C-alpha cells in the first residue's frame, strides 16, 4: 500500500477545521442546539421553548440599564478566608478559581444607572460564582448597594440567583441574613422602594432573607425558587409534591409573587414599577 500513501501525500488535502466550542449552545429546557449568537440576540432565552438561561452581571446590566448609564460600584473589601476553611481543597483556592472563571470579585455586583430614564442602584448575583452563595462579600455588597441607593434617593433593585449561604464561612455567612434585613429597613426608613427580581435558581438562606422582602416581587418564567430542595421536602413530609412546585408560576398562583415577567418585557416593566413607586422622582433629569 506504499503507492496509496504516496498518492495521499501528494494530494492537496485541506486540513479539517475544528468547530469552536462556543459556537453552539444546548438549551437546558428542550435540549435543542442553538447558535450562541442567536441565543444572545434573543436575550439568552431559547427561541424554541422560551427557557430563560442563567446570565451574569455584565449581560444583565447591558439588558436592563440604559446604554451608557451603567457605573459599577467598587467591590467591598472583606476577609477572604476568615475560618481558614478547607474541604477537598482550600477555600482560598476556590475563590481564586471562581474569580478566574467569571472575571468578577465575588457573587454580587452593584451598579448605578437608569432604566428608561429612572435612576436606580441595581445588584446582580452571579450563580456562576460558587453558586451565587452568600458570604461576607455578598452581605457587604448588599449593604453597600442599599447605602448607595439611599445616598442617590433611588430604589434598590436586586436580581437574585443563589444556592444559599456559603458553607465555607459558617456562621459568618448566616449573619448576612439579619444584616441584609436591617439594610432593607434602612431603605424603607428613607422612604425608598426595594424591588426584587428572582431568577433561576434562588434558594436557601438568600430566599429566607432579602430575596423575599421586596416591596414588589418579580420573577422570570420557570425560575426555581425555594428554601429546601424538593427531594428534602418530600422525604420529610413523605408526600409527593405538586407538579411545578417551587417554580415561579406556582408561587405566583399561591400569592408569593406579584408578577412573572418574560425577559423581553422586564426592562419596561421595571421602569413602570419604579415610576409608580417613586412618582417619577428618580428621573435622571430631576
Amino acid at each position: 500500500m506504499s503507492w496509496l500513501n504516496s498518492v495521499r501525500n501528494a494530494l492537496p488535502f485541506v486540513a479539517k477545521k475544528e468547530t469552536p466550542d462556543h459556537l453552539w449552545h444546548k438549551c437546558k429546557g428542550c435540549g435543542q442546539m442553538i447558535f450562541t449568537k442567536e441565543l444572545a440576540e434573543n436575550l439568552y432565552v431559547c427561541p424554541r421553548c422560551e427557557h430563560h438561561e442563567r446570565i451574569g452581571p455584565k449581560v444583565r446590566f447591558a439588558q436592563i440599564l440604559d446604554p451608557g448609564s451603567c457605573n459599577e460600584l467598587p467591590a467591598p473589601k472583606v476577609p477572604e478566608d476568615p475560618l481558614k476553611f478547607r474541604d477537598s481543597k482550600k477555600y482560598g483556592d476556590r475563590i481564586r478559581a471562581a474569580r478566574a472563571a467569571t472575571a468578577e470579585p465575588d457573587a454580587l455586583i452593584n451598579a448605578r444607572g437608569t432604566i428608561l430614564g429612572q435612576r436606580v442602584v441595581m445588584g446582580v448575583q452571579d450563580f456562576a460564582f460558587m453558586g451565587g452563595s452568600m458570604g461576607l462579600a455578598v452581605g457587604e455588597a448588599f449593604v453597600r448597594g442599599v447605602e448607595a441607593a439611599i445616598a442617590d434617593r433611588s430604589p434598590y433593585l436586586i436580581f437574585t440567583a443563589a444556592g444559599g449561604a456559603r458553607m465555607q464561612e459558617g456562621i459568618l455567612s448566616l449573619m448576612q441574613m439579619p444584616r441584609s434585613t436591617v439594610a432593607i429597613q434602612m431603605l424603607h426608613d428613607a422612604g425608598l422602594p426595594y424591588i426584587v427580581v428572582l431568577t433561576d435558581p434562588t434558594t436557601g438562606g438568600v430566599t429566607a432573607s432579602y430575596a423575599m422582602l421586596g416591596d414588589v416581587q418579580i420573577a422570570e418564567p420557570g425560575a426555581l425558587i425555594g428554601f429546601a430542595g424538593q427531594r428534602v421536602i418530600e422525604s420529610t413530609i413523605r408526600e409527593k409534591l405538586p407538579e411545578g412546585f417551587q417554580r415561579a408560576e406556582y408561587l405566583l398562583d399561591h400569592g408569593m409573587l406579584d408578577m412573572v415577567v418574560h425577559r423581553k418585557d422586564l426592562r419596561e416593566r421595571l421602569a413602570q414599577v419604579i415610576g409608580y413607586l417613586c412618582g417619577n422622582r428618580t428621573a435622571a433629569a430631576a
Side-chain angles (χ1 to χ4, degrees):
M1 299 295 287
S2 59
W3 63 271
L4 182 59
N5 292 330
S6 300
V7 172
R8 183 185 293 114
N9 294 332
L11 291 175
F13 286 111
V14 178
K16 182 181 179 181
K17 294 183 179 180
E18 294 184 2
T19 303
D21 293 336
H22 62 273
L23 189 60
W24 293 89
H25 176 84
K26 185 176 181 180
C27 174
K28 296 178 178 62
C30 62
Q32 294 293 313
M33 299 299 291
I34 311 163
F35 272 118
T36 302
K37 183 179 179 182
E38 179 186 4
L39 186 67
E41 290 172 349
N42 204 44
L43 303 179
Y44 293 91
V45 177
C46 177
R48 295 166 176 80
C49 72
E50 299 290 301
H51 175 73
H52 285 50
E53 296 287 344
R54 297 168 184 171
I55 55 178
K58 293 289 193 298
V59 175
R60 187 73 74 177
F61 290 143
Q63 288 184 3
I64 300 297
L65 298 178
D66 296 338
S69 73
C70 180
N71 182 21
E72 287 191 23
L73 274 62
K77 299 294 183 183
V78 299
E80 293 195 347
D81 188 4
L83 303 182
K84 306 302 179 186
F85 191 92
R86 178 169 186 160
D87 46 86
S88 58
K89 66 167 65 173
K90 293 180 180 179
Y91 176 40
D93 292 341
R94 291 191 183 278
I95 292 178
R96 284 187 284 274
R99 286 174 177 166
T102 63
E104 301 292 357
D106 214 280
L108 176 57
I109 307 298
N110 288 306
R112 286 184 169 96
T114 59
I115 304 176
L116 298 184
Q118 302 281 348
R119 278 194 320 221
V120 69
V121 175
M122 173 175 160
V124 179
Q125 280 187 271
D126 189 358
F127 192 77
F129 195 106
M130 296 186 69
S133 51
M134 175 181 61
L136 285 171
V138 168
E140 187 63 25
F142 185 91
V143 173
R144 297 285 182 88
V146 169
E147 290 175 343
I150 294 172
D152 292 354
R153 299 298 302 165
S154 67
Y156 186 53
L157 164 65
I158 188 163
F159 285 76
T160 62
R166 191 170 296 177
M167 70 172 191
Q168 292 89 347
E169 295 185 20
I171 190 63
L172 298 176
S173 66
L174 297 179
M175 286 171 61
Q176 308 315 306
M177 297 169 66
R179 281 194 77 207
S180 62
T181 304
V182 171
I184 294 167
Q185 186 58 52
M186 290 166 50
L187 197 67
H188 289 159
D189 290 344
L192 298 167
Y194 173 54
I195 303 168
V196 180
V197 181
L198 300 107
T199 72
D200 182 71
T202 298
T203 60
V206 171
T207 302
S209 55
Y210 58 83
M212 299 304 293
L213 294 176
D215 298 310
V216 178
Q217 297 284 137
I218 305 172
E220 289 192 325
L224 175 66
I225 303 165
F227 179 66
Q230 185 167 334
R231 285 179 296 180
V232 173
I233 297 172
E234 287 183 337
S235 63
T236 301
I237 66 175
R238 293 181 173 82
E239 289 185 19
K240 186 71 176 175
L241 294 172
E243 186 70 25
F245 182 77
Q246 291 186 324
R247 293 292 172 177
E249 293 75 11
Y250 183 93
L251 270 63
L252 178 65
D253 291 341
H254 289 77
M256 294 185 69
L257 298 175
D258 296 304
M259 60 188 85
V260 175
V261 182
H262 194 285
R263 195 171 286 170
K264 65 181 174 61
D265 302 318
L266 193 52
R267 185 165 176 262
E268 289 74 15
R269 184 63 59 85
L270 286 169
Q272 185 182 48
V273 168
I274 292 170
Y276 285 156
L277 295 178
C278 297
N280 294 319
R281 286 176 297 152
T282 62

